[in-house]
Amino acid sequence: MERKLKRLSFGEKLAYGMGDCGANVYVAMAGTFLTGYYTDTVGLAAAAVGTMMLLARIFDGITDLMMGALVDKTKSKYGKARPWVMWTAPLMAIGLILLFAVPKSMYGTNAGLVYAYVSYIFLNCIVYTANNLPYNALLSRMTLDVHDRASTASMRFVMTQITTLIINAVTANLIGIIGWTGCAIVFAIVEFIMLVWCFIGCKEHIGEDESGVVKTEQVPLNKALPALLKNQYFYLQALLFLVLYIGVVANGASTYYYASTVLGNITVITFLSMASTIPAVIANFVNPTLAVKYGKRKTMIAGAILMIIGSIIIGLANSNIALAIFGLIIKGFGMGPIMSGVFALTADVVDFGEWKTGVRSEGLVNSCTSFGMKVGIGLGSAVMTWILAFGGYDGLAATQTESAVASIKFAYGYLGAVCAAVCLVLILLINIDKNIEQIQKDLEAKRA
């Protein structure tokens, strides 16, 4: 007999957030410091690094689809998605260490670029895919309650934003003490512990019987794919992830260069990170209440508008750190509802697909949105490095040209405004909220 679905406990929400904190240890370190490590320490050309990251994402699209189909076919007593968090935890830790362990003998050589390709593809395209795609699918299998999902997603992003803040605050000093590889080893251990915590503390309540065993329905690809293609919101959701992460990653990756080159002090990364992260944390604390009152869509629209305004102010700031921080604060308040809302929205897209076609495919839906997210991550890094290359940035030069400095300022500010404006248009087109109460009622009745 299937157990009646219940609201998630605080402990389950905390454990779910730990899963993203673990993955975000890698994402935060790589997003802010990896391109700087490659260009300024390993001695790789900025354009070569950007091209590598983009090409890796093409392969990533293949592994995303394979992983989505694999999740839909996974059958274990722990469910479809949850076991993958545990299975990939040690590989996530190993991959992070390898990423920041380019042998010194390879610095500034083609061998160093090959090493970067292999380690980057291993972690991003294989291990991270096998970890993060099932993790994102897990939320849609923990509960059908949309408000519970919204509060869980908000708590998740409060935790990940704090994780990002800590990583950005301690990494620069930690690198000075124990080096790049030593820093990666410390973070890898923390990452592993967080992922194990997520596995232990979360449960897939959909399909769970009285004994706690999860009974899953295996959905073949030839059944899931036609159903997915009939889900109009899946296309818009995938595009939303793509554009959002181009803006987020381009800004994060350019932070290192903005602090070191435009402001002339790499340690101010901590203050820049705090300026955007703390408002985002505050926004996520109140976002569940606002989402219940106004709906996810309206809170996300407001968030996109704040991101546009904040990014424009950052672009106007040039080297005025006070004005840049003011823009980051406004942008941070907008990031809160956007980042928590977009992942909760994915679970709604899964529900909509089942409601419309009768086929529930958490794996394939999340593979496509994950593909959008990770292509966005790759494009964000690539676009940022291409902008730097266009401006003539040279990581080994003692001083940078005016065009190089201008390119950094553009990547850090106005590029975010463009991406946020496109996100706003996509959010306006995604209107699941109008049917969400009926969808939830019908799916709960179906399972009863």
Side-chain angles (χ1 to χ4, degrees), residues 36-50:
Y37 169 66
Y38 281 154
T39 58
D40 294 8
T41 299
V42 181
L44 303 179
V49 173

Side-chain angles (χ1 to χ4, degrees), residues 15-26 82-93 127-128 131-132 135 138 188-202:
Y16 183 74
M18 278 295 170
D20 203 32
C21 286
N24 209 57
V25 168
Y26 148 65
R82 181 183 166 214
W84 287 99
V85 176
M86 182 67 233
W87 295 338
T88 57
L91 296 176
M92 286 284 287
V127 179
Y128 184 74
N131 172 272
N132 203 247
Y135 169 79
L138 179 58
I189 294 170
V190 174
E191 176 183 56
F192 176 78
I193 293 170
M194 288 176 167
L195 292 174
V196 173
W197 186 340
C198 175
F199 169 77
I200 294 173
C202 292

Side-chain angles (χ1 to χ4, degrees), residues 21-280:
C21 286
N24 209 57
V25 168
Y26 148 65
V27 172
M29 187 176 179
T32 303
F33 296 98
L34 184 60
T35 53
Y37 169 66
Y38 281 154
T39 58
D40 294 8
T41 299
V42 181
L44 303 179
V49 173
T51 301
M52 176 197 75
M53 292 179 172
L54 181 58
L55 291 177
R57 295 306 171 185
I58 296 174
F59 178 64
D60 213 357
I62 300 172
T63 58
D64 271 333
L65 292 174
M66 293 172 61
M67 193 65 222
L70 192 55
V71 168
D72 283 333
K73 293 181 179 180
T74 299
K75 189 174 184 179
S76 79
K77 66 179 181 179
Y78 301 114
K80 283 185 176 182
R82 181 183 166 214
W84 287 99
V85 176
M86 182 67 233
W87 295 338
T88 57
L91 296 176
M92 286 284 287
I94 293 169
L96 178 58
I97 295 169
L98 292 175
L99 202 64
F100 288 91
V102 179
K104 290 186 178 180
S105 61
M106 296 182 180
Y107 283 11
T109 67
N110 289 334
L113 183 61
V114 171
Y115 181 96
Y117 262 92
V118 173
S119 58
Y120 188 77
I121 288 173
F122 170 74
L123 180 53
N124 280 273
C125 306
I126 300 173
V127 179
Y128 184 74
T129 295
N131 172 272
N132 203 247
L133 191 152
Y135 169 79
N136 287 324
L138 179 58
L139 181 59
S140 62
R141 295 198 55 79
M142 290 173 68
T143 179
L144 286 174
D145 190 289
V146 293
H147 300 313
D148 222 10
R149 287 174 178 171
S151 63
T152 303
S154 291
M155 185 172 178
R156 162 192 180 178
F157 279 100
V158 167
M159 294 171 66
T160 57
Q161 285 152 355
I162 292 174
T163 301
T164 299
L165 181 61
I166 294 172
I167 295 294
N168 287 337
V170 305
T171 299
N173 290 329
L174 198 58
I175 290 168
I177 298 171
I178 59 178
W180 286 101
T181 305
C183 184
I185 291 172
V186 171
F187 288 152
I189 294 170
V190 174
E191 176 183 56
F192 176 78
I193 293 170
M194 288 176 167
L195 292 174
V196 173
W197 186 340
C198 175
F199 169 77
I200 294 173
C202 292
K203 294 287 182 65
E204 292 188 18
H205 293 295
I206 295 178
E208 185 182 28
D209 63 20
E210 294 293 343
S211 64
V213 174
V214 181
K215 296 181 178 180
T216 60
E217 177 188 356
Q218 292 180 307
V219 183
L221 186 61
N222 61 1
K223 183 179 179 181
L225 187 57
L228 179 71
L229 297 178
K230 296 176 183 177
N231 186 342
Q232 67 266 30
Y233 291 122
F234 131 75
Y235 302 101
L236 296 171
Q237 180 74 347
L239 281 173
L240 179 57
F241 269 100
L242 172 68
V243 179
L244 176 62
Y245 273 85
I246 288 175
V248 170
V249 173
N251 177 264
S254 58
T255 304
Y256 171 89
Y257 299 97
Y258 185 76
S260 63
T261 302
V262 178
L263 301 180
N265 185 358
I266 192 174
T267 60
V268 301
I269 286 178
T270 301
F271 300 104
L272 297 176
S273 180
M274 290 173 64
S276 60
T277 302
I278 292 176

Side-chain angles (χ1 to χ4, degrees), residues 207-444:
E208 185 182 28
D209 63 20
E210 294 293 343
S211 64
V213 174
V214 181
K215 296 181 178 180
T216 60
E217 177 188 356
Q218 292 180 307
V219 183
L221 186 61
N222 61 1
K223 183 179 179 181
L225 187 57
L228 179 71
L229 297 178
K230 296 176 183 177
N231 186 342
Q232 67 266 30
Y233 291 122
F234 131 75
Y235 302 101
L236 296 171
Q237 180 74 347
L239 281 173
L240 179 57
F241 269 100
L242 172 68
V243 179
L244 176 62
Y245 273 85
I246 288 175
V248 170
V249 173
N251 177 264
S254 58
T255 304
Y256 171 89
Y257 299 97
Y258 185 76
S260 63
T261 302
V262 178
L263 301 180
N265 185 358
I266 192 174
T267 60
V268 301
I269 286 178
T270 301
F271 300 104
L272 297 176
S273 180
M274 290 173 64
S276 60
T277 302
I278 292 176
V281 170
I282 295 171
N284 268 318
F285 272 118
V286 301
N287 189 58
T289 302
L290 295 176
V292 170
K293 186 174 182 180
Y294 300 108
K296 281 194 299 291
R297 181 168 175 264
K298 290 181 179 178
T299 59
M300 291 175 72
I301 289 171
I305 293 171
L306 288 175
M307 287 178 65
I308 294 170
I309 296 171
S311 296
I312 292 173
I313 293 174
I314 296 167
L316 293 171
N318 292 316
S319 57
N320 186 330
I321 188 171
L323 188 58
I325 287 176
F326 178 63
L328 287 166
I329 290 172
I330 294 176
K331 185 177 179 180
F333 277 114
M335 284 289 293
I338 289 284
M339 294 303 292
S340 62
V342 71
F343 283 94
L345 191 60
T346 301
D348 295 347
V349 173
V350 172
D351 288 349
F352 178 82
E354 182 183 6
W355 182 67
K356 184 175 182 178
T357 67
V359 178
R360 187 174 186 86
S361 176
E362 294 97 343
L364 204 57
V365 170
N366 277 275
S367 75
C368 295
T369 54
S370 176
F371 173 69
M373 177 180 73
K374 289 193 290 185
V375 170
I377 292 173
L379 274 174
S381 298
V383 167
M384 192 280 297
T385 54
W386 291 338
I387 291 172
L388 261 60
F390 180 78
Y393 179 84
D394 181 357
L396 301 180
T399 57
Q400 300 297 330
T401 63
E402 289 185 9
S403 62
V405 174
S407 68
I408 294 170
K409 293 175 183 177
F410 176 82
Y412 194 64
Y414 293 122
L415 181 61
V418 174
C419 292
V422 177
C423 287
L424 175 60
V425 173
L426 291 170
I427 293 166
L428 289 170
L429 295 173
I430 301 174
N431 193 9
I432 300 180
D433 280 8
K434 65 182 180 181
N435 293 318
I436 196 63
E437 291 185 5
Q438 188 63 46
I439 291 172
Q440 183 179 352
K441 180 180 177 181
D442 291 347
L443 292 184
E444 288 179 345

